[in-house]
Amino acid sequence: MDTMDNLEKQLICPICLEMFTKPVVILPCQHNLCRKCANDVFQASNPYLPTRAGAVTSGGRFRCPSCRHEVVLDRHGVYGLQRNLLVENIIDMFKQGSTSSSKPEPEKREEAPMCEVHPEERINIYCVTHALPTCSMCKVFGAHKDCEVAPLTSVYQTQKENSRRQKTLICEKFDALFHALEERKQSLGQRVTAEQEEKLGYIRGLSQRYGAHLEDSCRAVETGITAMEEPEMALFLQAAKPLLKKLTDAASTTHLDKVEPGYENMDHFTVSFSRERQALSAIDFIHDEEEEEDDEEGVDVDPAGSPAVATATPSQPIPSAQTGSLPSAPKTASTST
């Protein structure tokens, strides 16, 4: 039985928390979902996509509820996902094995709970006023005769659907948080890249100027070597003074910029997430008392008008990422000639 129990746990859908209902679709991350559950998550993540006859007519995306991997769908929606026939076959074999196990114990029928006030009556309705299941006699003659009631099955389905919808809303809130972090990461990365390109551009230009100066120096040296071979004394002495000045100028680099030590350092782009990490660890559901305080102070609401499902409740507000500022100009040092 332990083996069968472990197998059954592997066949539970992470959305409806029941055994997979065929057809079972396999996501790109290799996790499985009932196709109906996958369609519910997809439509909740893409509420503005047009639908026709229950089938999505354009592409979209949602995140796997098990690993948060982003699933991108084409125009066929969840109907374009591949069916996991292996899982479906295992479900069939599991159900057959459960029903045809070797001479099981006599079937134990689950008896409906009986009313405590009317022991002969089954609990078959739900008192909406007191949020309690009760029996028909209590509604007609008992304590719930003036209360609003509803069928147990409808209340059960409604609450189960509410739970599923609330899980989807929580996933959407966290997806929005992931998206905000991705955008911030991209923005900070662009700032680092901008300064890197600025510094590289400056170094390239300086390298070109030093290269040109080196070529001029080589030409001046070649001219000096040629002048040394001049046999006429007068011509040699006449060209000596301007040649010496030319060689002196060629040997000087005072007119060229020099890079300060540590110019390539990028340590001023430092980010600290200690307080943000504490704030994220403190995320929890809003309690009634906190909700009343938020109503008095002003609380953000979603487009539907309801408060956020989950909120961070740190002792201090979440600060923005702390980074060094981008230098306005490259650091160079030059000496006057």
Side-chain angles (χ1 to χ4, degrees):
M1 287 298 295
D2 292 340
T3 302
M4 297 298 289
D5 291 341
N6 293 331
L7 177 59
E8 184 177 6
K9 292 179 182 179
Q10 300 299 321
L11 300 177
I12 298 299
C13 174
I15 297 297
C16 63
L17 300 181
E18 296 180 356
M19 188 173 293
F20 288 116
T21 303
K22 295 191 295 185
V24 181
V25 296
I26 182 169
L27 305 181
C29 56
Q30 303 304 310
H31 289 111
N32 299 284
L33 292 176
C34 309
R35 188 160 70 186
K36 180 182 181 302
C37 294
N39 193 48
D40 291 342
V41 176
F42 175 68
Q43 292 187 9
S45 301
N46 302 268
Y48 302 109
L49 287 180
T51 59
R52 183 180 61 192
V56 178
T57 58
S58 60
R61 60 188 65 200
F62 68 94
R63 290 188 180 273
C64 171
S66 298
C67 66
R68 312 306 304 155
H69 177 81
E70 186 176 55
V71 180
V72 181
L73 303 179
D74 58 16
R75 61 186 180 86
H76 300 290
V78 298
Y79 293 90
L81 292 172
Q82 183 178 2
R83 289 179 60 178
N84 195 333
L85 299 179
L86 176 60
V87 172
E88 294 181 8
N89 293 334
I90 293 175
I91 292 174
D92 291 338
M93 290 188 291
F94 175 82
K95 290 181 177 179
Q96 292 175 3
S98 299
T99 56
S100 61
S101 55
S102 57
K103 293 184 180 181
E105 298 179 359
E107 294 184 1
K108 295 181 180 179
R109 296 184 179 180
E110 294 185 1
E111 297 182 358
M114 309 302 288
C115 179
E116 294 181 357
V117 181
H118 305 92
E120 71 283 358
E121 295 291 331
R122 293 182 178 181
I123 294 178
N124 56 359
I125 59 175
Y126 187 83
C127 176
V128 179
T129 305
H130 297 96
L132 289 172
T134 185
C135 73
S136 301
M137 295 297 291
C138 287
K139 170 58 181 172
V140 178
F141 303 106
H144 301 282
K145 62 182 179 179
D146 297 325
C147 299
E148 179 185 356
V149 296
L152 275 177
T153 55
S154 63
V155 175
Y156 169 76
Q157 293 296 335
T158 299
Q159 292 188 2
K160 185 175 180 180
E161 188 66 28
N162 287 343
S163 175
R164 182 183 303 177
R165 181 170 59 252
Q166 204 66 16
K167 290 179 181 179
T168 302
L169 290 175
I170 292 174
C171 292
E172 290 177 354
K173 297 295 182 182
F174 275 92
D175 288 344
L177 181 59
F178 295 153
H179 181 67
L181 290 174
E182 287 292 338
E183 287 185 341
R184 190 58 179 160
K185 181 179 72 172
Q186 183 177 4
S187 175
L188 296 180
Q190 289 175 350
R191 290 174 58 183
V192 176
T193 301
E195 179 166 332
Q196 180 186 30
E197 293 298 329
E198 180 183 353
K199 287 186 174 182
L200 288 176
Y202 174 75
I203 294 298
R204 291 191 190 99
L206 192 60
S207 176
Q208 292 176 356
R209 291 194 293 273
Y210 269 92
H213 178 73
L214 180 60
E215 291 180 359
D216 293 341
S217 300
C218 292
R219 286 193 292 268
V221 171
E222 291 176 355
T223 303
I225 294 174
T226 303
M228 291 292 294
E229 297 175 353
E230 177 60 47
E232 291 290 335
M233 290 187 293
L235 294 176
F236 176 81
L237 293 175
Q238 184 179 7
K241 186 174 182 180
L243 180 59
L244 289 175
K245 185 178 183 307
K246 190 173 183 180
L247 291 174
T248 302
D249 293 341
S252 175
T253 59
T254 56
H255 62 288
L256 297 174
D257 293 340
K258 295 177 178 60
V259 179
E260 292 182 357
Y263 174 72
E264 74 287 353
N265 198 321
M266 303 285 283
D267 290 346
H268 54 281
F269 287 109
T270 301
V271 182
S272 174
F273 289 117
S274 57
R275 285 184 289 181
E276 288 81 357
R277 187 178 294 107
Q278 294 176 1
L280 291 174
S281 300
I283 292 177
D284 200 351
F285 295 105
I286 299 176
H287 302 291
D288 294 339
E289 297 80 2
E290 296 175 356
E291 189 172 0
E292 292 176 359
E293 294 177 0
D294 291 337
D295 290 339
E296 295 176 0
E297 299 175 359
V299 61
D300 293 337
V301 297
D302 59 22
S306 59
V309 176
T311 180
T313 55
S315 58
Q316 295 182 353
I318 300 176
S320 59
Q322 303 167 2
T323 62
S325 59
L326 182 66
S328 57
K331 299 178 181 180
T332 59
S334 61
T335 57
S336 58
T337 56

